[in-house]
Amino acid sequence: MFLLAVTTSGLQRPPAVPIVHTARIGVRCVEIATSARGAIVNDERGFSFRLNAWASGAPVFREPFLSITASADDMTLRLSRSTLCGFPLFFTITPSGEFLASTHLHLLHGAGVSLAEDPKAVAEYFLYRFVMPPRTLCAGIQRLYLGGTIDVTVGESACRVTRHVPARWIESAPAPCPTVQLSQHARHIAGLLAADLDQLGQVRGHVASLMSGGLDSTLVARLCDKAVSAPTYSTGYPFETPSLDMEEEYALSVARVLGFRHRHYVGSSTGFRHGLVSAVADAEEPAAHLQTPCMHLLFKDGIEPGHSVVTQGLGA
């Protein structure tokens, strides 16, 4: 968990995670609280903070998946979230002009941010099962793009987000052109995907893939297996009639053909009911479909503890 607060007089209540760094930019206090592993470098112009592992004992990435650079000279903060970052990063500016960012909504709420639903975003979520960043389900709270960057100007009267840029792979996408073949776009996307998966070599042995046997997850699992020789996992519903359960055979048949080291995990019916409630609490958003508790139980009990970096092919 991670919280960044840029306030006039500091956080009024202790956050749920320890404060690891405090600095000043102009008249404002900058506080970083986290349970993750990071590195802080101070200089006469400000500081930089890099998160390389989410917890003690977790695999450490050479390149940070979340970074903050503060400049007292320019009165600015820059936050960047890499494509390897598996957590969201929410941010908001309060009515009093304070800037807060966190991986968890409840940490923002604990810092004094009111959480109220955005009716338009709720409709989008239940239609598409997703709210397109930078919007979120909460009014006034935005989400940093995966691979994106924001710049924050720390003013005396108020903080302002002055720049919010998407990932480099969005900016570098080929422009639509009638003369460009579909295969060229496919190669471009495949190259970007393979380049990202190659970065997982630095945490080899900690990587696994979700693989249902569908096209998207199979494609990502195959590329991941080629890059780091990762095992694969799938799950299903505990109330399914075994003779009618096509999901398990669907995954196992693909695993056999492609030679994956595969495990299919199914929790109990009681675990499914409890998992539905727990998944909503952990994800801090509604459960849009019955797969949610299955995935929650798979991550909780089905995936081996050492496999803490998991790829998935949703929408690949």
Side-chain angles (χ1 to χ4, degrees), residues 38-51:
I40 300 171
V41 177
N42 291 292
D43 58 38
E44 64 278 2
R45 293 175 298 177
F47 70 88
S48 63
F49 179 77
R50 306 285 187 267
L51 278 181

Side-chain angles (χ1 to χ4, degrees), residues 61-90:
F61 288 86
R62 288 191 299 271
E63 297 298 323
F65 43 78
L66 186 61
S67 63
I68 303 168
T69 304
S71 171
D73 292 341
D74 298 333
M75 302 285 286
T76 60
L77 283 167
R78 170 167 290 183
L79 285 75
S80 298
R81 177 183 174 223
S82 89
T83 53
L84 293 177
C85 184
F87 280 76
L89 186 68
F90 303 103

